[in-house]
Amino acid sequence: PVAMARRWVAAGARRLHIVDLNGAVAGKPVNAAAIQGILSAFPELPVQVGGGIRDEDTIQAYLDMGVRYVILGTKAVNAPHFVSDVCTEFPGHIIVGLDAKDGKVAIDGWSKLSGHDVVDLAKKFQDDGVEAIIYTDIGRDGMMTGVNIEATVELARPLHVPVIASGGITNLDDVRNLCAAGEAGIVGAITGRAIYEGTLDFAAAQKLADELTKSS
């Protein structure tokens, strides 16, 4: 993980998005040592971490370690009061990740859809004081079919907190399209599979995003 982090930082990454997948399944951190290694190697770089964050102690431990933002997912949807509590306790450090399909929020590793409308839930978390919303269209994530710009804009437009796009980003056209929709409040994008499989050149994507956002 540290070697991969070094690769993306060298290519111009300004924030690292890390998901503890084992932790998401276990409901508690499993890869904290690997995350600590990345934080030690890049102490100045903002790092956001998700996966298995279910209580205040875990949030405190990650922040003490040097994590800048913690990402809440299923816990945020299942126990909405938890979000307002931790936003009060850890102001400026809480991000909620909302995974949705056809406008409804998915939970438990996408295995089921909740009855919650994604925009309504995002507005609630905004009122609670989250720093940002990460929006993943689970119909597109990992499918290499392009990001769902329309759904992301539909979520971002009524919000005043930043929205980070996730799911389906495959190539420079997706970056171009996201930047064109930037005025809706989309401030960044998470890419994973595409940069590992090589359909997206990360350095070229960051350069393009910088150029397009400067010109706008």
Side-chain angles (χ1 to χ4, degrees), residues 166-209:
S166 171
I169 295 161
T170 308
N171 54 39
L172 289 176
D173 283 341
D174 291 319
V175 175
R176 210 170 269 114
N177 293 336
L178 273 173
C179 287
E183 81 286 349
I186 302 165
V187 298
I190 294 166
T191 177
R193 183 173 172 183
I195 52 175
Y196 288 101
E197 295 199 350
T199 64
L200 183 67
D201 176 320
F202 181 83
Q206 184 63 69
K207 184 169 180 284
L208 175 67

mmCIF file of all heavy atoms in Angstrom, residues 166-209:
data_model
loop_
_atom_site.group_PDB
_atom_site.id
_atom_site.type_symbol
_atom_site.label_atom_id
_atom_site.label_comp_id
_atom_site.label_asym_id
_atom_site.label_seq_id
_atom_site.Cartn_x
_atom_site.Cartn_y
_atom_site.Cartn_z
ATOM 1 N N SER A 166 -17.972 9.480 -7.478
ATOM 2 C CA SER A 166 -17.318 8.186 -7.401
ATOM 3 C C SER A 166 -18.133 7.184 -8.210
ATOM 4 O O SER A 166 -19.343 7.305 -8.319
ATOM 5 C CB SER A 166 -17.246 7.754 -5.925
ATOM 6 O OG SER A 166 -16.810 6.432 -5.797
ATOM 7 N N GLY A 167 -17.457 6.203 -8.766
ATOM 8 C CA GLY A 167 -18.181 5.150 -9.466
ATOM 9 C C GLY A 167 -18.213 5.328 -10.964
ATOM 10 O O GLY A 167 -18.838 6.240 -11.474
ATOM 11 N N GLY A 168 -17.492 4.490 -11.667
ATOM 12 C CA GLY A 168 -17.591 4.467 -13.121
ATOM 13 C C GLY A 168 -16.612 5.335 -13.872
ATOM 14 O O GLY A 168 -16.631 5.370 -15.102
ATOM 15 N N ILE A 169 -15.742 6.072 -13.166
ATOM 16 C CA ILE A 169 -14.792 6.945 -13.868
ATOM 17 C C ILE A 169 -13.761 6.075 -14.591
ATOM 18 O O ILE A 169 -13.053 5.293 -13.963
ATOM 19 C CB ILE A 169 -14.125 7.915 -12.881
ATOM 20 C CG1 ILE A 169 -15.189 8.863 -12.321
ATOM 21 C CG2 ILE A 169 -12.995 8.698 -13.550
ATOM 22 C CD1 ILE A 169 -14.810 9.547 -11.070
ATOM 23 N N THR A 170 -13.720 6.206 -15.905
ATOM 24 C CA THR A 170 -12.973 5.257 -16.731
ATOM 25 C C THR A 170 -11.863 5.891 -17.552
ATOM 26 O O THR A 170 -10.821 5.295 -17.762
ATOM 27 C CB THR A 170 -13.953 4.561 -17.713
ATOM 28 O OG1 THR A 170 -15.045 4.042 -16.961
ATOM 29 C CG2 THR A 170 -13.291 3.431 -18.475
ATOM 30 N N ASN A 171 -12.095 7.123 -18.041
ATOM 31 C CA ASN A 171 -11.132 7.729 -18.959
ATOM 32 C C ASN A 171 -11.205 9.253 -18.887
ATOM 33 O O ASN A 171 -11.951 9.812 -18.083
ATOM 34 C CB ASN A 171 -11.372 7.224 -20.390
ATOM 35 C CG ASN A 171 -12.813 7.451 -20.829
ATOM 36 O OD1 ASN A 171 -13.406 8.480 -20.511
ATOM 37 N ND2 ASN A 171 -13.382 6.488 -21.537
ATOM 38 N N LEU A 172 -10.434 9.906 -19.751
ATOM 39 C CA LEU A 172 -10.372 11.373 -19.715
ATOM 40 C C LEU A 172 -11.696 12.027 -20.082
ATOM 41 O O LEU A 172 -11.986 13.140 -19.637
ATOM 42 C CB LEU A 172 -9.258 11.867 -20.653
ATOM 43 C CG LEU A 172 -7.821 11.580 -20.172
ATOM 44 C CD1 LEU A 172 -6.817 12.036 -21.224
ATOM 45 C CD2 LEU A 172 -7.518 12.255 -18.831
ATOM 46 N N ASP A 173 -12.516 11.350 -20.865
ATOM 47 C CA ASP A 173 -13.824 11.922 -21.191
ATOM 48 C C ASP A 173 -14.675 12.094 -19.933
ATOM 49 O O ASP A 173 -15.403 13.078 -19.790
ATOM 50 C CB ASP A 173 -14.576 11.025 -22.193
ATOM 51 C CG ASP A 173 -14.048 11.196 -23.614
ATOM 52 O OD1 ASP A 173 -13.387 12.225 -23.878
ATOM 53 O OD2 ASP A 173 -14.291 10.308 -24.442
ATOM 54 N N ASP A 174 -14.575 11.130 -19.017
ATOM 55 C CA ASP A 174 -15.327 11.250 -17.765
ATOM 56 C C ASP A 174 -14.840 12.443 -16.952
ATOM 57 O O ASP A 174 -15.638 13.159 -16.333
ATOM 58 C CB ASP A 174 -15.189 9.967 -16.936
ATOM 59 C CG ASP A 174 -15.902 8.790 -17.577
ATOM 60 O OD1 ASP A 174 -17.012 8.983 -18.083
ATOM 61 O OD2 ASP A 174 -15.338 7.683 -17.581
ATOM 62 N N VAL A 175 -13.541 12.650 -16.950
ATOM 63 C CA VAL A 175 -12.971 13.809 -16.237
ATOM 64 C C VAL A 175 -13.475 15.101 -16.874
ATOM 65 O O VAL A 175 -13.896 16.041 -16.189
ATOM 66 C CB VAL A 175 -11.428 13.750 -16.251
ATOM 67 C CG1 VAL A 175 -10.836 15.003 -15.620
ATOM 68 C CG2 VAL A 175 -10.934 12.491 -15.535
ATOM 69 N N ARG A 176 -13.459 15.120 -18.191
ATOM 70 C CA ARG A 176 -13.926 16.296 -18.949
ATOM 71 C C ARG A 176 -15.394 16.594 -18.605
ATOM 72 O O ARG A 176 -15.773 17.735 -18.334
ATOM 73 C CB ARG A 176 -13.774 16.000 -20.446
ATOM 74 C CG ARG A 176 -13.517 17.213 -21.302
ATOM 75 C CD ARG A 176 -13.140 16.830 -22.737
ATOM 76 N NE ARG A 176 -11.711 16.700 -22.901
ATOM 77 C CZ ARG A 176 -11.073 15.555 -23.171
ATOM 78 N NH1 ARG A 176 -11.756 14.436 -23.303
ATOM 79 N NH2 ARG A 176 -9.771 15.535 -23.303
ATOM 80 N N ASN A 177 -16.206 15.550 -18.611
ATOM 81 C CA ASN A 177 -17.638 15.725 -18.349
ATOM 82 C C ASN A 177 -17.902 16.162 -16.916
ATOM 83 O O ASN A 177 -18.785 16.991 -16.657
ATOM 84 C CB ASN A 177 -18.388 14.421 -18.643
ATOM 85 C CG ASN A 177 -18.384 14.075 -20.118
ATOM 86 O OD1 ASN A 177 -18.237 14.956 -20.961
ATOM 87 N ND2 ASN A 177 -18.530 12.801 -20.443
ATOM 88 N N LEU A 178 -17.137 15.621 -15.974
ATOM 89 C CA LEU A 178 -17.298 16.029 -14.574
ATOM 90 C C LEU A 178 -16.908 17.490 -14.384
ATOM 91 O O LEU A 178 -17.584 18.233 -13.676
ATOM 92 C CB LEU A 178 -16.450 15.145 -13.660
ATOM 93 C CG LEU A 178 -17.083 13.853 -13.169
ATOM 94 C CD1 LEU A 178 -16.059 13.021 -12.419
ATOM 95 C CD2 LEU A 178 -18.292 14.133 -12.262
ATOM 96 N N CYS A 179 -15.820 17.894 -15.008
ATOM 97 C CA CYS A 179 -15.376 19.283 -14.878
ATOM 98 C C CYS A 179 -16.410 20.239 -15.472
ATOM 99 O O CYS A 179 -16.639 21.333 -14.948
ATOM 100 C CB CYS A 179 -14.018 19.483 -15.555
ATOM 101 S SG CYS A 179 -12.660 18.735 -14.639
ATOM 102 N N ALA A 180 -17.056 19.820 -16.543
ATOM 103 C CA ALA A 180 -18.085 20.652 -17.167
ATOM 104 C C ALA A 180 -19.272 20.852 -16.228
ATOM 105 O O ALA A 180 -19.988 21.841 -16.317
ATOM 106 C CB ALA A 180 -18.552 20.023 -18.474
ATOM 107 N N ALA A 181 -19.459 19.893 -15.319
ATOM 108 C CA ALA A 181 -20.580 19.976 -14.370
ATOM 109 C C ALA A 181 -20.141 20.534 -13.023
ATOM 110 O O ALA A 181 -20.892 20.500 -12.051
ATOM 111 C CB ALA A 181 -21.194 18.591 -14.180
ATOM 112 N N GLY A 182 -18.933 21.044 -12.956
ATOM 113 C CA GLY A 182 -18.357 21.478 -11.686
ATOM 114 C C GLY A 182 -19.137 22.562 -10.977
ATOM 115 O O GLY A 182 -19.148 22.624 -9.746
ATOM 116 N N GLU A 183 -19.820 23.416 -11.736
ATOM 117 C CA GLU A 183 -20.538 24.520 -11.087
ATOM 118 C C GLU A 183 -21.697 24.017 -10.234
ATOM 119 O O GLU A 183 -22.246 24.744 -9.429
ATOM 120 C CB GLU A 183 -21.009 25.557 -12.128
ATOM 121 C CG GLU A 183 -22.293 25.211 -12.864
ATOM 122 C CD GLU A 183 -22.116 24.114 -13.917
ATOM 123 O OE1 GLU A 183 -20.969 23.760 -14.236
ATOM 124 O OE2 GLU A 183 -23.136 23.620 -14.414
ATOM 125 N N ALA A 184 -22.062 22.743 -10.408
ATOM 126 C CA ALA A 184 -23.139 22.171 -9.582
ATOM 127 C C ALA A 184 -22.667 21.894 -8.157
ATOM 128 O O ALA A 184 -23.466 21.588 -7.285
ATOM 129 C CB ALA A 184 -23.654 20.885 -10.225
ATOM 130 N N GLY A 185 -21.348 21.985 -7.919
ATOM 131 C CA GLY A 185 -20.830 21.721 -6.573
ATOM 132 C C GLY A 185 -20.049 20.430 -6.462
ATOM 133 O O GLY A 185 -19.784 19.942 -5.374
ATOM 134 N N ILE A 186 -19.689 19.866 -7.626
ATOM 135 C CA ILE A 186 -18.855 18.655 -7.632
ATOM 136 C C ILE A 186 -17.397 19.117 -7.554
ATOM 137 O O ILE A 186 -16.913 19.793 -8.462
ATOM 138 C CB ILE A 186 -19.096 17.822 -8.906
ATOM 139 C CG1 ILE A 186 -20.584 17.440 -9.013
ATOM 140 C CG2 ILE A 186 -18.227 16.570 -8.904
ATOM 141 C CD1 ILE A 186 -21.000 16.947 -10.387
ATOM 142 N N VAL A 187 -16.714 18.766 -6.484
ATOM 143 C CA VAL A 187 -15.372 19.324 -6.264
ATOM 144 C C VAL A 187 -14.238 18.357 -6.586
ATOM 145 O O VAL A 187 -13.082 18.752 -6.664
ATOM 146 C CB VAL A 187 -15.193 19.809 -4.808
ATOM 147 C CG1 VAL A 187 -16.179 20.929 -4.505
ATOM 148 C CG2 VAL A 187 -15.340 18.659 -3.827
ATOM 149 N N GLY A 188 -14.575 17.084 -6.744
ATOM 150 C CA GLY A 188 -13.507 16.118 -6.996
ATOM 151 C C GLY A 188 -14.099 14.791 -7.416
ATOM 152 O O GLY A 188 -15.323 14.622 -7.460
ATOM 153 N N ALA A 189 -13.214 13.873 -7.734
ATOM 154 C CA ALA A 189 -13.650 12.546 -8.165
ATOM 155 C C ALA A 189 -12.699 11.499 -7.609
ATOM 156 O O ALA A 189 -11.494 11.743 -7.500
ATOM 157 C CB ALA A 189 -13.687 12.466 -9.688
ATOM 158 N N ILE A 190 -13.260 10.362 -7.266
ATOM 159 C CA ILE A 190 -12.464 9.232 -6.796
ATOM 160 C C ILE A 190 -12.326 8.242 -7.945
ATOM 161 O O ILE A 190 -13.321 7.884 -8.586
ATOM 162 C CB ILE A 190 -13.149 8.548 -5.601
ATOM 163 C CG1 ILE A 190 -13.165 9.504 -4.402
ATOM 164 C CG2 ILE A 190 -12.433 7.250 -5.230
ATOM 165 C CD1 ILE A 190 -14.102 9.071 -3.295
ATOM 166 N N THR A 191 -11.109 7.834 -8.210
ATOM 167 C CA THR A 191 -10.898 6.807 -9.222
ATOM 168 C C THR A 191 -10.050 5.690 -8.631
ATOM 169 O O THR A 191 -9.125 5.942 -7.871
ATOM 170 C CB THR A 191 -10.247 7.380 -10.499
ATOM 171 O OG1 THR A 191 -10.005 6.321 -11.420
ATOM 172 C CG2 THR A 191 -8.939 8.099 -10.194
ATOM 173 N N GLY A 192 -10.413 4.469 -8.939
ATOM 174 C CA GLY A 192 -9.692 3.320 -8.402
ATOM 175 C C GLY A 192 -9.316 2.341 -9.499
ATOM 176 O O GLY A 192 -8.205 2.362 -10.022
ATOM 177 N N ARG A 193 -10.277 1.543 -9.902
ATOM 178 C CA ARG A 193 -9.999 0.486 -10.867
ATOM 179 C C ARG A 193 -9.363 1.030 -12.160
ATOM 180 O O ARG A 193 -8.435 0.424 -12.709
ATOM 181 C CB ARG A 193 -11.306 -0.247 -11.202
ATOM 182 C CG ARG A 193 -11.110 -1.417 -12.138
ATOM 183 C CD ARG A 193 -12.395 -2.202 -12.310
ATOM 184 N NE ARG A 193 -12.249 -3.206 -13.343
ATOM 185 C CZ ARG A 193 -13.229 -4.004 -13.746
ATOM 186 N NH1 ARG A 193 -14.415 -3.916 -13.196
ATOM 187 N NH2 ARG A 193 -13.005 -4.886 -14.694
ATOM 188 N N ALA A 194 -9.858 2.163 -12.647
ATOM 189 C CA ALA A 194 -9.378 2.684 -13.937
ATOM 190 C C ALA A 194 -7.891 3.017 -13.914
ATOM 191 O O ALA A 194 -7.180 2.789 -14.902
ATOM 192 C CB ALA A 194 -10.187 3.920 -14.333
ATOM 193 N N ILE A 195 -7.390 3.534 -12.786
ATOM 194 C CA ILE A 195 -5.961 3.889 -12.756
ATOM 195 C C ILE A 195 -5.079 2.660 -12.556
ATOM 196 O O ILE A 195 -3.912 2.661 -12.941
ATOM 197 C CB ILE A 195 -5.632 4.978 -11.698
ATOM 198 C CG1 ILE A 195 -6.160 4.610 -10.308
ATOM 199 C CG2 ILE A 195 -6.187 6.321 -12.151
ATOM 200 C CD1 ILE A 195 -5.754 5.581 -9.210
ATOM 201 N N TYR A 196 -5.649 1.599 -11.975
ATOM 202 C CA TYR A 196 -4.875 0.368 -11.826
ATOM 203 C C TYR A 196 -4.887 -0.448 -13.119
ATOM 204 O O TYR A 196 -3.906 -1.110 -13.452
ATOM 205 C CB TYR A 196 -5.411 -0.474 -10.655
ATOM 206 C CG TYR A 196 -5.082 0.139 -9.320
ATOM 207 C CD1 TYR A 196 -6.021 0.863 -8.598
ATOM 208 C CD2 TYR A 196 -3.790 0.035 -8.788
ATOM 209 C CE1 TYR A 196 -5.711 1.452 -7.383
ATOM 210 C CE2 TYR A 196 -3.473 0.619 -7.569
ATOM 211 C CZ TYR A 196 -4.433 1.324 -6.877
ATOM 212 O OH TYR A 196 -4.116 1.918 -5.674
ATOM 213 N N GLU A 197 -5.997 -0.390 -13.837
ATOM 214 C CA GLU A 197 -6.082 -1.149 -15.090
ATOM 215 C C GLU A 197 -5.511 -0.378 -16.274
ATOM 216 O O GLU A 197 -5.312 -0.934 -17.344
ATOM 217 C CB GLU A 197 -7.531 -1.554 -15.358
ATOM 218 C CG GLU A 197 -8.050 -2.521 -14.311
ATOM 219 C CD GLU A 197 -9.269 -3.300 -14.755
ATOM 220 O OE1 GLU A 197 -9.840 -2.972 -15.816
ATOM 221 O OE2 GLU A 197 -9.641 -4.241 -14.035
ATOM 222 N N GLY A 198 -5.287 0.933 -16.063
ATOM 223 C CA GLY A 198 -4.607 1.704 -17.097
ATOM 224 C C GLY A 198 -5.503 2.375 -18.122
ATOM 225 O O GLY A 198 -5.008 2.955 -19.097
ATOM 226 N N THR A 199 -6.826 2.346 -17.920
ATOM 227 C CA THR A 199 -7.681 3.062 -18.874
ATOM 228 C C THR A 199 -7.674 4.566 -18.603
ATOM 229 O O THR A 199 -8.074 5.359 -19.449
ATOM 230 C CB THR A 199 -9.140 2.557 -18.829
ATOM 231 O OG1 THR A 199 -9.692 2.837 -17.539
ATOM 232 C CG2 THR A 199 -9.212 1.068 -19.095
ATOM 233 N N LEU A 200 -7.218 4.946 -17.422
ATOM 234 C CA LEU A 200 -7.089 6.357 -17.076
ATOM 235 C C LEU A 200 -5.668 6.619 -16.598
ATOM 236 O O LEU A 200 -5.193 5.975 -15.670
ATOM 237 C CB LEU A 200 -8.075 6.726 -15.957
ATOM 238 C CG LEU A 200 -8.091 8.209 -15.548
ATOM 239 C CD1 LEU A 200 -8.642 9.076 -16.674
ATOM 240 C CD2 LEU A 200 -8.913 8.412 -14.287
ATOM 241 N N ASP A 201 -5.003 7.546 -17.264
ATOM 242 C CA ASP A 201 -3.669 7.984 -16.860
ATOM 243 C C ASP A 201 -3.872 9.048 -15.786
ATOM 244 O O ASP A 201 -4.363 10.144 -16.075
ATOM 245 C CB ASP A 201 -2.931 8.550 -18.085
ATOM 246 C CG ASP A 201 -1.557 9.116 -17.736
ATOM 247 O OD1 ASP A 201 -1.418 9.766 -16.678
ATOM 248 O OD2 ASP A 201 -0.636 8.930 -18.536
ATOM 249 N N PHE A 202 -3.495 8.721 -14.554
ATOM 250 C CA PHE A 202 -3.824 9.633 -13.455
ATOM 251 C C PHE A 202 -3.199 11.020 -13.643
ATOM 252 O O PHE A 202 -3.866 12.042 -13.460
ATOM 253 C CB PHE A 202 -3.393 9.058 -12.100
ATOM 254 C CG PHE A 202 -3.761 9.977 -10.969
ATOM 255 C CD1 PHE A 202 -5.035 9.951 -10.449
ATOM 256 C CD2 PHE A 202 -2.864 10.919 -10.488
ATOM 257 C CE1 PHE A 202 -5.412 10.849 -9.462
ATOM 258 C CE2 PHE A 202 -3.236 11.812 -9.501
ATOM 259 C CZ PHE A 202 -4.512 11.768 -8.980
ATOM 260 N N ALA A 203 -1.926 11.067 -13.989
ATOM 261 C CA ALA A 203 -1.247 12.363 -14.138
ATOM 262 C C ALA A 203 -1.920 13.198 -15.219
ATOM 263 O O ALA A 203 -2.137 14.407 -15.049
ATOM 264 C CB ALA A 203 0.228 12.150 -14.457
ATOM 265 N N ALA A 204 -2.283 12.564 -16.318
ATOM 266 C CA ALA A 204 -2.957 13.280 -17.413
ATOM 267 C C ALA A 204 -4.338 13.764 -16.963
ATOM 268 O O ALA A 204 -4.776 14.870 -17.320
ATOM 269 C CB ALA A 204 -3.083 12.368 -18.627
ATOM 270 N N ALA A 205 -5.015 12.946 -16.177
ATOM 271 C CA ALA A 205 -6.350 13.311 -15.695
ATOM 272 C C ALA A 205 -6.290 14.515 -14.764
ATOM 273 O O ALA A 205 -7.100 15.444 -14.859
ATOM 274 C CB ALA A 205 -6.986 12.128 -14.971
ATOM 275 N N GLN A 206 -5.299 14.535 -13.859
ATOM 276 C CA GLN A 206 -5.163 15.662 -12.933
ATOM 277 C C GLN A 206 -4.812 16.939 -13.683
ATOM 278 O O GLN A 206 -5.343 18.012 -13.410
ATOM 279 C CB GLN A 206 -4.098 15.350 -11.882
ATOM 280 C CG GLN A 206 -3.947 16.424 -10.814
ATOM 281 C CD GLN A 206 -5.215 16.598 -9.991
ATOM 282 O OE1 GLN A 206 -5.585 15.733 -9.217
ATOM 283 N NE2 GLN A 206 -5.897 17.721 -10.173
ATOM 284 N N LYS A 207 -3.935 16.799 -14.671
ATOM 285 C CA LYS A 207 -3.526 17.948 -15.486
ATOM 286 C C LYS A 207 -4.731 18.514 -16.246
ATOM 287 O O LYS A 207 -4.970 19.726 -16.278
ATOM 288 C CB LYS A 207 -2.425 17.508 -16.459
ATOM 289 C CG LYS A 207 -1.826 18.618 -17.308
ATOM 290 C CD LYS A 207 -0.571 18.098 -18.020
ATOM 291 C CE LYS A 207 0.070 19.161 -18.888
ATOM 292 N NZ LYS A 207 -0.672 19.385 -20.141
ATOM 293 N N LEU A 208 -5.521 17.624 -16.842
ATOM 294 C CA LEU A 208 -6.706 18.052 -17.582
ATOM 295 C C LEU A 208 -7.700 18.744 -16.653
ATOM 296 O O LEU A 208 -8.243 19.805 -16.988
ATOM 297 C CB LEU A 208 -7.364 16.839 -18.254
ATOM 298 C CG LEU A 208 -8.691 17.105 -18.971
ATOM 299 C CD1 LEU A 208 -8.476 18.009 -20.184
ATOM 300 C CD2 LEU A 208 -9.349 15.801 -19.403
ATOM 301 N N ALA A 209 -7.932 18.152 -15.487
ATOM 302 C CA ALA A 209 -8.875 18.752 -14.530
ATOM 303 C C ALA A 209 -8.414 20.139 -14.107
ATOM 304 O O ALA A 209 -9.211 21.075 -14.009
ATOM 305 C CB ALA A 209 -9.035 17.845 -13.315
#
